Amino acid sequence: MKKIIFGIAIILISAIQSCMTTKDVTGKYSSRYYEHFLKLESDSTFKYEFRSFHMYAQSSGKWLRAGKNALVLNSNITTTVVPMKIAVLNNVSYNSLSINVNTVDSLKSENYRCQIYLNDTLYTIRRADSLSEFKLAHSPRNIYLKFAFDPIVSVSNLISPPVATEKHTLGIANAPRSIKLTLDLPTSFFYYRPFKQEVLKITRRSVAFYNSFKKRWEYVPKVPDSVNIFMRD
Amino acid sequence: MATEEKNLKGATEKLSEIEAKIVKGGTSEKLEKQLKSVQEEISTINSTLNDLESSSREITEMGTTKAQKFTFKEITGEVGGTEVIDGVITMSITGNANGIHETAHGYHRFKKNETTASNRWKLEILPYQRQFSFDASSVKNRVPSIFGTVSSRNQISEKWVSGIYGGSGTFIYSPGVSTKNLREFWEEKQ
């Protein structure tokens, strides 16, 4: 009987202590299979890799505690949505679309494939250096683009998540118009996973990311510091 | 490999038995069906053996060549990747089955057959076939594709690869493409 009372007392004391102290969450976390690989440093910085088969993205930035059971990630780049400039010319004889993609010299636009979405429907996929002019049967009400990194000369079998532009709403056209889009495509947006006020749950031996596709929390166990969790150090 | 060789021996004996029955008593629908089934089994085992032998031969060549530097890096998770970093073909692997997969990529990068990303679907067929031959369950149960589960290495095709998706629902080898568009693409091809 004494042993049982002693045992209960120990459990109670541990429980009270754990409520009073904030658990140290620094260290490495690794999904058993896919997708999250995270290192929380003691200086409040983090490094992260997303790996799903050969799809790969990385991130880095700052983390902070949000109470006892949560933390928040903010990456150095908080969005990879590409801004677009749009110019519409009226008084033209036919509907058309032309897109001018600017990239840094080392990675020319031919290294990207552009998916053009008109009225939320895929219109065509082209290399991003061949987007000079499309004659359209109808002028679109809205337009956005998605870019996939598809290099002419590849040095890796890792695949970047696609990078999308903002969506432009144009409204209904009563007469033909010519749409000209101009955008700068930052190389740094590819292979990158942005976090903006991303809340992670903290449990005893893991952190959890919310999977909005599956609508559930995915627990990522803590692993020893000696384990190599990153593909690109 | 020993298991596959034993299976091949058993299937070959079975084939001889069926052929002997046909010679002796003539053929029948049942015997023809059995014959076809055993022939398919032998073909599958031969493909598996060929995959394993090729993997072994390529790993040996990669280990002995002085023309190219290779390195393996062991990481956590399920799938790694293969990259050329400062001229060194670096294969990040998570275990033996993934090691076989990435080694196939590494070897083909060495042989300059993997220099463009445009034919990604094709480039993944052989590595997944090798992985399947080494450990079928690592592909059957762990690689989801909207075009179904593969039950043999010969079912690993461009179409199947194109439909592989991750935990967030995105197509890995068809980034940004919707399910509808991918299905339409293959319907138009047929």
Side-chain angles (χ1 to χ4, degrees):
Chain A
M1 187 63 180
K2 273 183 183 175
K3 273 185 182 174
I4 294 167
I5 293 166
F6 182 69
I8 292 167
I10 292 287
I11 290 165
L12 280 173
I13 289 164
S14 305
I16 291 163
Q17 274 184 338
S18 70
C19 289
M20 290 167 71
T21 56
T22 308
K23 188 177 169 282
D24 176 23
V25 292
T26 58
K28 291 179 175 178
Y29 297 84
S30 168
S31 290
R32 285 194 181 89
Y33 307 112
Y34 308 102
E35 306 178 324
H36 307 291
F37 303 87
L38 174 71
K39 187 180 183 190
L40 299 173
E41 301 281 6
S42 54
D43 63 358
S44 295
T45 60
F46 75 87
K47 193 184 166 197
Y48 170 88
E49 280 188 357
F50 169 88
R51 300 202 305 267
S52 182
F53 297 93
H54 287 136
M55 188 164 275
Y56 176 92
Q58 60 185 345
S59 190
S60 58
K62 294 272 187 186
W63 66 271
L64 57 91
R65 282 300 280 260
K68 187 173 169 289
N69 298 318
L71 63 90
V72 175
L73 302 182
N74 278 297
S75 52
N76 296 330
I77 299 170
T78 52
T79 180
T80 54
V81 176
V82 181
M84 248 183 342
K85 280 181 192 159
I86 185 160
V88 180
L89 291 174
N90 295 308
N91 299 323
V92 289
S93 54
Y94 57 90
N95 289 306
S96 68
L97 168 70
S98 43
I99 304 163
N100 182 27
V101 179
N102 299 312
T103 56
V104 293
D105 286 341
S106 58
L107 275 171
K108 290 179 178 160
S109 54
E110 63 185 4
N111 290 293
Y112 301 90
R113 276 189 196 276
C114 178
Q115 299 169 23
I116 303 171
Y117 289 83
L118 305 178
N119 300 330
D120 299 311
T121 304
L122 180 65
Y123 171 67
T124 189
I125 303 176
R126 295 283 176 89
R127 282 227 175 250
D129 59 341
S130 351
L131 306 169
S132 54
E133 189 181 66
F134 299 95
K135 279 187 181 176
L136 305 175
H138 305 284
S139 191
R141 292 184 305 283
N142 66 52
I143 183 165
Y144 68 94
L145 314 171
K146 275 188 202 173
F147 291 90
F149 182 53
D150 185 20
I152 299 291
V153 179
S154 151
V155 292
S156 169
N157 66 356
L158 301 181
I159 297 164
S160 169
V163 169
T165 65
E166 56 196 358
K167 189 198 278 189
H168 268 289
T169 304
L170 295 152
I172 298 164
N174 296 319
R177 59 187 175 187
S178 168
I179 302 163
K180 292 187 190 303
L181 303 175
T182 308
L183 61 106
D184 295 324
L185 194 60
T187 312
S188 56
F189 283 14
F190 291 87
Y191 295 108
Y192 198 84
R193 171 74 180 259
F195 291 113
K196 190 176 181 183
Q197 291 294 104
E198 179 86 11
V199 177
L200 271 59
K201 267 204 232 176
I202 300 169
T203 64
R204 208 155 64 92
R205 287 191 183 140
S206 64
V207 292
F209 287 78
Y210 187 70
N211 184 326
S212 54
F213 175 73
K214 292 182 177 171
K215 294 186 171 55
R216 69 175 191 216
W217 289 92
E218 290 181 339
Y219 292 87
V220 184
K222 194 167 191 176
V223 294
D225 281 347
S226 56
V227 171
N228 192 8
I229 63 169
F230 293 129
M231 188 180 292
R232 291 178 177 172
D233 289 322
Chain B
M1 201 108 132
T3 312
E4 293 303 324
E5 278 163 357
K6 197 178 157 191
N7 290 345
L8 182 63
K9 198 181 164 203
T12 310
E13 283 169 4
K14 208 170 161 187
L15 179 73
S16 302
E17 279 172 29
I18 297 166
E19 282 173 342
K21 274 185 192 173
I22 291 171
V23 170
K24 198 179 170 187
T27 191
S28 67
E29 200 178 318
K30 190 184 168 189
L31 283 172
E32 286 298 327
K33 207 174 167 185
Q34 284 177 350
L35 186 71
K36 197 182 167 207
S37 164
V38 176
Q39 281 169 339
E40 280 171 3
E41 191 185 343
I42 289 171
S43 168
T44 303
I45 297 168
N46 278 329
S47 298
T48 303
L49 280 169
N50 188 36
D51 276 340
L52 298 176
E53 281 164 4
S54 298
S55 286
S56 170
R57 193 176 56 248
E58 287 170 11
I59 291 168
T60 305
E61 188 182 338
M62 288 158 79
T64 52
T65 185
K66 287 187 168 49
Q68 172 66 51
K69 269 191 184 175
F70 299 92
T71 185
F72 281 108
K73 180 178 173 183
E74 193 148 8
I75 56 170
T76 56
E78 179 103 347
V79 171
T82 301
E83 300 189 271
V84 183
I85 302 170
D86 298 329
V88 178
I89 294 175
T90 306
M91 292 158 285
S92 298
I93 62 167
T94 60
N96 292 339
N98 178 241
I100 293 288
H101 182 111
E102 296 306 330
T103 303
H105 281 298
Y107 184 80
H108 287 275
R109 201 156 280 279
F110 167 45
K111 294 292 175 186
K112 313 290 182 205
N113 294 334
E114 284 200 7
T115 54
T116 68
S118 297
N119 51 348
R120 276 192 204 286
W121 296 344
K122 264 190 193 150
L123 295 179
E124 289 299 330
I125 294 173
L126 184 74
Y128 274 117
Q129 285 180 333
R130 294 272 176 86
Q131 186 181 337
F132 190 98
S133 294
F134 179 78
D135 176 5
S137 67
S138 73
V139 179
K140 267 188 206 173
N141 306 330
R142 306 217 53 83
V143 186
S145 168
I146 59 160
F147 298 113
T149 307
V150 286
S151 54
S152 80
R153 50 104 55 206
N154 295 334
Q155 290 175 346
I156 294 169
S157 62
E158 271 190 80
K159 185 178 174 181
W160 179 78
V161 169
S162 74
I164 294 173
Y165 59 89
S168 304
T170 50
F171 293 117
I172 306 300
Y173 303 104
S174 317
V177 176
S178 69
T179 304
K180 181 176 168 277
N181 290 141
L182 191 58
R183 285 193 190 281
E184 280 172 1
F185 171 82
W186 287 108
E187 277 163 19
E188 280 168 23
K189 269 202 129 187
Q190 278 166 358

